[in-house]
Amino acid sequence: MARKQVREGAVQERDFFQDVMDVVRLVPKGRVTTYGAIARYLGAARSARIIGYCMNSSHAVRPPVPAHRVVNRNGVLTGKHHFPDNAPMQKLLEAEGVHVVKDQVERFHELLWDPMVELDFQE
DNA sequence: TCCATGACGAGAT
DNA sequence: GATCTCGCCATGG
């Protein structure tokens, strides 16, 4: 993140990328969250795309980011294609007890971990 | 510096 | 209710 073009209404501190990584790491094992939920939590409600785009670079981030716990609003593993063959997104999820059928998380609504709710957003 | 792109979401048709 | 279109804005070329 060479440039920090922080704008009003968006991120107010740190890099957007860092914030995204931070929130994703907070997702408990066995739970999943959505790009939109993260976006809203960061104050960029309509910037869900950026969350996904940032995830593109998450592979080189340390500590590792549990990107497999992030799916789209339908509970679909849209980013599975970005995972290495030795650690498929679905495999990682099922290893945590999350059942995936046809690239879709079962019981999605129950497993959904919304930072706005779980972290008791109060700002 | 400007342009195109993208692991999305919500409203419109 | 299924599909299409547009908006959003950080990254990379």
Side-chain angles (χ1 to χ4, degrees):
Chain A
M1 312 310 109
R3 295 180 297 171
K4 285 190 192 176
Q5 297 191 324
V6 180
R7 297 191 169 197
E8 294 182 326
V11 183
Q12 298 178 354
E13 53 181 30
R14 307 182 63 184
D15 293 310
F16 193 85
F17 180 83
Q18 288 300 318
D19 265 336
V20 174
M21 297 301 109
D22 200 42
V23 176
V24 176
R25 289 200 202 97
L26 292 176
V27 181
K29 178 182 178 181
R31 301 292 295 280
V32 296
T33 190
T34 69
Y35 301 96
I38 295 172
R40 283 190 308 173
Y41 182 69
L42 296 181
R46 302 181 183 80
S47 305
R49 304 189 89 181
I50 302 176
I51 307 300
Y53 195 84
C54 287
M55 300 302 283
N56 257 329
S57 305
S58 67
H59 65 86
V61 178
R62 279 178 293 282
V65 179
H68 58 282
R69 294 177 191 153
V70 184
V71 297
N72 72 358
R73 77 181 192 80
N74 293 311
V76 180
L77 283 54
T78 54
K80 61 174 289 183
H81 202 62
H82 289 262
F83 280 76
D85 296 332
N86 63 326
M89 192 173 186
Q90 181 174 333
K91 183 179 178 182
L92 292 173
L93 285 172
E94 298 196 323
E96 298 182 351
V98 178
H99 297 282
V100 179
V101 177
K102 294 183 182 295
D103 299 342
Q104 190 170 333
V105 177
E106 290 197 321
R107 293 292 202 177
F108 174 61
H109 191 67
E110 293 176 28
L111 296 176
L112 178 61
W113 184 88
D114 186 340
M116 292 290 279
V117 178
E118 304 297 336
L119 298 181
D120 190 26
F121 190 69
Q122 49 189 303
E123 289 182 35

